[in-house]
Amino acid sequence: MERCLYKQLSKTAARTYATAAIPHDEYHKKYDLHPWPKSKKPTPHEIFNLDPSAQNLPTLELNKILKSCYVKYVKIYHPDVSKNLVLTDDKGKQLTEEAKRQRYDEIQYAYDVLKDPRRRVAYNRYQSTAWENYGKNPNPSSFEAYRMANAHRKKYDFKEDEQFWKAGTWEDYYRMRYNREAPTEEEFNKNKYKILVGVLAVAAIVVTLQVMTALENAAQFRRRAEMRNFTSGTALSQSLDNYGQGTTPISRLRRFLTSRRASLADRTDEQTLDELRENDQEIVRKYAQQRLASLEGAGKL
């Protein structure tokens, strides 16, 4: 039993290895399928290798061609199949599982677009619409002119807004986008004052919020300025009072020397601190001598 199972697994592995060793172009040739497009973002027409003349074929005949090509693609790029295959791109680089899945998703999307007549027409319109074509249509509608002017914008990409390319008029686009009928001119005239009042109300609310925000920012700035002034005044008062250590010159000198040693304590070693203490004592002694000499000169001693 184990020997039979081993033989079966060996045959399966050998078949898988032999299949995986075939380059992806060989798979395309095997199923009589054209090579994968070389562009980084192939269009549905490029994926299914459709030339412009194929657009004029009857729907049934075109769908038959698409389905035949789609089935061949599935035999290569379906995730359950491609995971056992070693596929490469046109430069011979092996495709990752993510790249295989991306190709399959592109195939599926292209097939869904092209097999639907309405989506196919919309995509053809998306491909051919550009501002350069404005002169070819002497009297375009406002919707067509808007489409020509905004065809390059990302928000109107076919995948982002398919209804924009399906619609023939502004009314159609409104109906597709919002799932309701577009308001008529009579309804618009009837409600235009309500709309105007609503717009003014929204504008008033926005302006009020902006004014309130500006007032709050001004109040915060004033509070911060008052706090800075209070802090500065307190520090100045403490400095004038010598931080409670006496206001005589010798007291101020002692506090200065003590503060200097404290600020240098974390950055100097003990030997340096001892030298600073001796230096401080020398400074105090010289100050005392100068003070004594000045008092003697003034005749106060």
Side-chain angles (χ1 to χ4, degrees), residues 21 27 40 64 66 68 73-74 77 109 117 121-122 129-130 133 162 173 185 205 220 236 242 261 269 292 294:
Y27 285 108
K40 293 183 178 180
K64 185 177 180 180
L66 292 172
S68 175
Y73 267 133
V74 169
Y77 292 103
Y109 176 77
V121 171
T129 300
N133 300 331
E162 193 171 319
Y173 181 56
E185 186 175 356
I205 293 173
Q220 290 181 0
L236 181 60
N242 198 26
R261 285 201 306 271
D269 52 15
L292 183 61
S294 63

Side-chain angles (χ1 to χ4, degrees), residues 28 67 207:
H28 284 241
K67 186 174 182 180
V207 171

Side-chain angles (χ1 to χ4, degrees), residues 1-256:
M1 180 68 179
E2 293 180 356
R3 184 176 299 176
C4 293
L5 181 60
Y6 175 77
K7 288 182 178 180
Q8 184 177 359
L9 291 174
S10 299
K11 290 180 180 179
T12 303
R15 184 168 59 252
T16 301
Y17 178 80
T19 303
I22 302 176
H24 84 289
D25 282 343
E26 295 298 327
Y27 285 108
H28 284 241
K29 293 177 182 178
K30 177 181 178 181
Y31 295 110
D32 192 22
L33 190 62
H34 56 275
W36 183 262
K38 293 184 179 181
S39 58
K40 293 183 178 180
K41 294 183 178 180
T43 65
H45 297 84
E46 291 175 342
I47 292 175
F48 281 87
N49 198 29
L50 291 179
D51 55 18
S53 61
Q55 305 297 324
N56 301 323
L57 293 175
T59 301
L60 292 177
E61 185 175 351
L62 180 59
N63 285 347
K64 185 177 180 180
I65 296 173
L66 292 172
K67 186 174 182 180
S68 175
C69 185
Y70 174 73
V71 171
K72 295 175 183 178
Y73 267 133
V74 169
K75 292 179 180 179
I76 301 174
Y77 292 103
H78 191 279
D80 293 338
V81 179
S82 63
K83 66 181 180 181
N84 297 320
L85 306 179
V86 177
L87 302 177
T88 58
D89 57 15
D90 58 316
K91 297 180 181 179
K93 184 178 179 181
Q94 183 174 335
L95 296 179
T96 62
E97 295 301 321
E98 182 180 356
K100 295 176 186 177
R101 180 69 194 193
Q102 182 179 356
R103 282 196 179 185
Y104 179 74
D105 292 341
E106 290 176 351
I107 293 167
Q108 188 65 53
Y109 176 77
Y111 181 63
D112 291 339
V113 169
L114 295 178
K115 73 177 181 179
D116 187 331
R118 192 174 183 186
R119 295 184 72 185
R120 184 169 65 247
V121 171
Y123 188 82
N124 292 338
R125 184 182 294 123
Y126 164 72
Q127 286 289 93
S128 60
T129 300
W131 182 249
E132 291 77 10
N133 300 331
Y134 183 81
K136 298 179 182 179
N137 188 355
N139 296 310
S141 64
S142 62
F143 187 63
E144 291 175 348
Y146 182 83
R147 254 196 312 230
M148 292 179 187
N150 294 274
H152 64 285
R153 299 180 66 182
K154 186 178 180 181
K155 63 179 293 187
Y156 293 125
D157 184 79
F158 189 79
K159 289 185 178 181
E160 298 292 334
D161 193 353
E162 193 171 319
Q163 293 88 350
F164 183 72
W165 301 100
K166 284 183 178 180
T169 62
W170 284 111
E171 289 76 12
D172 292 341
Y173 181 56
Y174 187 93
R175 191 182 304 111
M176 293 178 185
R177 190 69 184 270
Y178 302 106
N179 294 321
R180 63 174 183 268
E181 292 294 330
T184 62
E185 186 175 356
E186 294 179 357
E187 292 174 341
F188 179 78
N189 291 331
K190 182 179 179 181
N191 298 321
K192 62 182 179 181
Y193 294 109
K194 294 182 180 179
I195 296 173
L196 179 60
V197 171
V199 171
L200 292 176
V202 172
I205 293 173
V206 171
V207 171
T208 302
L209 291 176
Q210 290 179 344
V211 171
M212 292 175 63
T213 303
L215 292 175
E216 179 62 24
N217 292 337
Q220 290 181 0
F221 177 79
R222 186 172 61 255
R223 287 194 293 269
R224 287 195 295 267
E226 292 175 353
M227 182 59 66
R228 285 195 297 268
N229 293 337
F230 175 77
T231 304
S232 301
T234 303
L236 181 60
S237 177
Q238 291 177 348
S239 176
L240 292 174
D241 190 44
N242 198 26
Y243 297 92
Q245 298 183 18
T247 57
T248 61
I250 189 63
S251 299
R252 294 184 182 278
L253 179 61
R254 285 200 188 98
R255 194 192 67 79
F256 167 74

Side-chain angles (χ1 to χ4, degrees), residues 249-250 286-301:
I250 189 63
K286 288 182 178 180
Y287 175 80
Q289 292 175 355
Q290 292 176 358
R291 183 65 177 169
L292 183 61
S294 63
L295 291 175
E296 290 178 350
K300 295 183 179 181
L301 290 178

